Amino acid sequence: MAQTHIDALYQRLILDHYRNPRNKAALARHSVEASRCNPVCGDEVTVQLVVEEGRIARAAFTGHGCSISQAAASMMTDVVRGLDAAEALRMAERFQAMMTAPGLPAPGPEDPLGDLRALQGVSRFPVRVPCAMLAFEALRDALAGVGGTPCPPVH
Amino acid sequence: MPATRTLDPAAVRADFPILSEPVGGQPLVYLDNAASAQKPERVIRAVDHYYRHQHANVHRGIHELGRRATEAYEDARARVAAFIGADPDEVVWTRGTTEAINLVAGAWGIDSLDEGDEILLTTMEHHSNIVPWQLVAARTGARLRYLEMDDEECLRLDMLDEVLTDRTRLLAVTHVSNALGTVNPLAALIEAAHAAGALVLVDGAQAVPHMQIDVHALGADFYALSGHKMFGPTGIGVLWARRELLEEMPPYHGGGEMIRVVRRESSTWADVPHKFEAGTPNIAGAVGLAAACDYLTEIGMDAVQAYEHEVVRYAYECLSAMEGVRVYGPRDPANRAGVVAFTMDEAHPHDISTVLDSRGIAIRAGHHCAQLVMEHCGVAATARASFAFYNTREEVDRLVQAVEAVRRIFA
């Protein structure tokens, strides 16, 4: 695996979202929330949405895990703000398509994926794709009104 | 046979075809041996030879191939038994350690335990030595208790008086921790458990690849191991148990081969160990595992242990000297076998593993099926480098360089 793939995977923007996550907070008031866990590694993301007049007024997350899962959650919560449910789900599909098709042309600067475009390099690491998808899976569960599948408590 | 042999890493590496296989265009550094070890040519050939020349079902046919297969299968049992110092009729073939422990839980545990009885586990156990006992506890009303670890991830023998009671019926404990490499003081644990009137089951999966095992000298009541972690095939393992326990225990699975006579309403059982071997077994797996034992005997487990000790100690010293790296488990190398588990301040274990993989280095990142160990260490996951006798100091150097590269990315 070429070093260039590793460089593409751990771009500065991804590491910045990992170290300085946006929207990382437990909201006192939210409309829906859902948690997702990757049982293989224990990575966990809980997504909370404040929905006003049919649109996502605010998205926030809590969780822990690797740089990819946490950066993706940070980026996702930025990107879905202002979208309605159908638009947010289309965003999830767009992101998933990018994750599962390595070698696609890089999305342009105008692409609605925004900072999430930086995660395109993950598509060359199939075992890491579930990390990148974790926040969107929680988002889908939250929009569907189901609570998701959090990691069960260890105790 | 010389009293102490030395191990030539270049020579043993040549015995393992996969070790010369480039991975991602780079020489492979395989440090995921605690998950599963690689296979020497000897084992691959034994399985191949069995299928080409010896295969039929065992203990059934009168024909020539049936005789050959049965002979290969029972000869394998005798050789594996000899390798661990056991008698062949105390060696029950299983799919691996997990099934061996489930066999004891299902046959002995369900049958012998009552409400209020206690099963003593440790927080160091692999899930396969916890969950079967949780199932037994739910069925029987028995209670689970835990021996804790200290701040060097060694078992707290000072707690034994507190957790071993007159209701303790079983101590189930790992010989070597898969997540930490801690070697447990089995002699003291077995003595204390027996004094309290409890039986002792030892999970030997991570011990057998690294040291000479003599189950009779050890004095436990049950010892479980997996073939694939000791350079044999997957899907084969062993439950060793004291003969009288095997005689007393009811069958685990019902089916062919485990019976003597079947009538409409009831049946009688075959002699041990066949009483516990329902259905057509993994014959090729048994043959392959015996070949692995022969191979290890030729190299010498004393040589394996002495050589590995130095490589693991070197890895521990290099990694624990690195800034921002925390290594778990005992500091005294005498109490450690096969494993160096660590975390880094900036990088998550998954990210460590991905960067290492890009340099041809295979380690495992995660909870290692030992979530109680993670809880004790206060982490969700660790990066684990786990060693076999074919690993070298040069590979440790490559590991350390790769961990440096991780730090350059994440610092």
Side-chain angles (χ1 to χ4, degrees):
Chain A
M1 198 176 296
Q3 199 56 38
T4 51
H5 293 161
I6 281 289
D7 295 340
L9 181 67
Y10 293 120
Q11 291 178 33
R12 190 175 307 146
L13 186 62
I14 295 172
L15 294 176
D16 181 56
H17 274 272
Y18 175 50
R19 296 192 189 106
N20 311 297
R22 330 296 196 252
N23 312 309
K24 188 166 183 179
L27 302 179
R29 290 175 50 247
H30 56 266
S31 315
V32 285
E33 76 166 5
S35 299
R36 271 287 177 140
C37 161
N38 181 348
V40 178
C41 57
D43 283 9
E44 204 160 12
V45 169
T46 297
V47 170
Q48 296 178 327
L49 305 176
V50 178
V51 182
E52 289 170 358
E53 295 171 2
R55 292 197 173 268
I56 298 170
R58 193 171 174 202
F61 81 102
T62 53
H64 59 86
C66 66
S67 61
I68 303 301
S69 71
Q70 302 304 300
S74 170
M75 293 168 172
M76 183 278 285
T77 46
D78 253 358
V79 162
V80 298
R81 194 185 312 131
L83 304 184
D84 66 22
E87 289 165 343
L89 289 174
R90 276 202 296 279
M91 187 73 79
E93 272 167 38
R94 194 177 185 87
F95 182 72
Q96 186 161 12
M98 182 175 81
M99 283 299 102
T100 48
L104 282 185
E110 302 305 315
D111 195 285
L113 286 171
D115 282 2
L116 286 163
R117 290 173 300 147
L119 288 165
Q120 193 187 23
V122 178
S123 63
R124 295 205 180 269
F125 297 81
V127 297
R128 303 301 298 276
V129 169
C131 310
M133 288 303 303
L134 198 61
F136 270 111
E137 301 288 358
L139 175 77
R140 282 172 168 154
D141 283 349
L143 291 171
V146 295
T149 48
C151 287
V154 177
H155 302 274
Chain B
M1 196 185 295
T4 1
R5 285 165 286 183
T6 53
L7 187 141
D8 175 1
V12 294
R13 286 182 73 80
D15 295 333
F16 289 77
I18 210 169
L19 295 182
S20 53
E21 182 100 1
V23 169
Q26 307 192 58
L28 167 68
V29 176
Y30 188 74
L31 295 175
D32 197 17
N33 294 286
S36 197
Q38 298 300 345
K39 316 306 171 199
E41 186 76 40
R42 174 86 71 94
V43 169
I44 298 166
R45 282 201 187 158
V47 172
D48 180 89
H49 177 83
Y50 168 75
Y51 278 127
R52 284 179 194 281
H53 303 293
Q54 297 171 300
H55 177 67
N57 214 330
V58 292
H59 294 297
R60 289 161 175 81
I62 302 297
H63 52 78
E64 167 62 15
L65 278 182
R67 184 194 63 75
R68 279 191 216 170
T70 303
E71 199 172 285
Y73 179 65
E74 292 303 330
D75 180 58
R77 191 193 306 270
R79 281 146 65 203
V80 172
F83 184 72
I84 59 169
D87 300 328
D89 55 7
E90 302 168 324
V91 166
V92 178
W93 295 119
T94 65
R95 281 187 290 142
T97 303
T98 298
E99 192 185 37
I101 296 172
N102 276 278
L103 192 163
V104 178
W108 176 83
I110 299 282
D111 196 57
S112 307
L113 295 175
D114 291 315
E115 195 164 346
D117 282 344
E118 293 177 1
I119 303 165
L120 179 57
L121 308 175
T122 87
T123 53
M124 196 188 282
E125 300 312 307
H126 187 283
H127 296 164
S128 61
N129 203 20
I130 295 174
V131 182
W133 304 114
Q134 292 175 337
L135 296 174
V136 166
R139 290 271 298 273
T140 60
R143 177 181 171 209
L144 302 180
R145 300 191 70 154
Y146 284 92
L147 188 60
E148 305 283 341
M149 288 180 275
D150 63 19
D151 56 10
E152 258 187 65
E153 284 81 52
C154 294
L155 291 178
R156 282 188 52 190
L157 298 190
D158 61 297
M159 272 184 68
L160 270 177
D161 282 346
E162 186 189 322
V163 290
L164 267 177
T165 72
D166 57 1
R167 297 304 306 263
T168 310
R169 301 287 311 281
L170 178 78
L171 165 64
V173 60
T174 193
H175 195 161
V176 173
S177 160
N178 73 303
L180 302 156
T182 310
V183 181
N184 285 322
L186 281 189
L189 288 163
I190 291 169
E191 190 187 339
H194 282 171
L199 297 177
V200 180
L201 176 140
V202 177
D203 168 358
Q206 301 292 342
V208 185
H210 304 296
M211 60 188 75
Q212 183 72 57
I213 301 299
D214 182 327
V215 288
H216 283 155
L218 204 57
D221 301 286
F222 303 100
Y223 198 94
L225 59 87
S226 291
H228 72 100
K229 295 194 198 285
M230 52 187 293
F231 319 100
T234 57
I236 189 75
V238 161
L239 171 70
W240 170 85
R242 285 196 293 110
R243 194 192 162 100
E244 51 281 27
L245 284 167
L246 290 176
E247 307 267 12
E248 286 163 17
M249 281 157 58
Y252 169 54
H253 288 157
E257 199 178 311
M258 53 77 68
I259 47 82
R260 191 183 302 279
V261 181
V262 174
R263 297 287 180 239
R264 289 188 181 221
E265 303 302 331
S266 66
S267 303
T268 52
W269 316 134
D271 287 338
V272 298
H274 300 103
K275 180 170 89 175
F276 298 102
E277 295 177 356
T280 298
N282 183 356
I283 311 163
V287 168
L289 179 53
C293 291
D294 294 347
Y295 175 74
L296 288 169
T297 301
E298 272 173 35
I299 296 173
M301 289 310 291
D302 48 352
V304 164
Q305 187 171 5
Y307 173 82
E308 264 185 36
H309 185 79
E310 287 310 311
V311 174
V312 171
R313 186 174 70 169
Y314 181 57
Y316 174 81
E317 284 169 0
C318 291
L319 286 169
S320 54
M322 293 177 78
E323 205 187 312
V325 173
R326 183 178 161 202
V327 180
Y328 300 88
R331 281 189 278 273
D332 182 351
N335 297 332
R336 177 186 288 271
V339 171
V340 180
F342 62 99
T343 53
M344 298 175 74
D345 286 348
E346 307 92 356
H348 187 275
H350 249 191
D351 294 314
I352 299 172
S353 181
T354 293
V355 175
L356 267 52
D357 184 46
S358 75
R359 291 164 168 254
I361 304 171
I363 63 157
R364 180 162 167 195
H367 55 57
H368 315 294
C369 301
Q371 289 185 356
L372 301 191
V373 174
M374 301 300 112
E375 185 189 308
H376 171 87
C377 296
V379 293
T382 66
R384 178 186 71 181
S386 58
F387 296 81
F389 58 81
Y390 44 62
N391 292 122
T392 64
R393 282 173 72 98
E394 291 71 34
E395 289 181 316
V396 174
D397 291 336
R398 277 185 59 194
L399 168 69
V400 170
Q401 285 158 17
V403 172
E404 284 288 0
V406 173
R407 206 167 44 179
R408 282 197 298 278
I409 293 171
F410 282 87

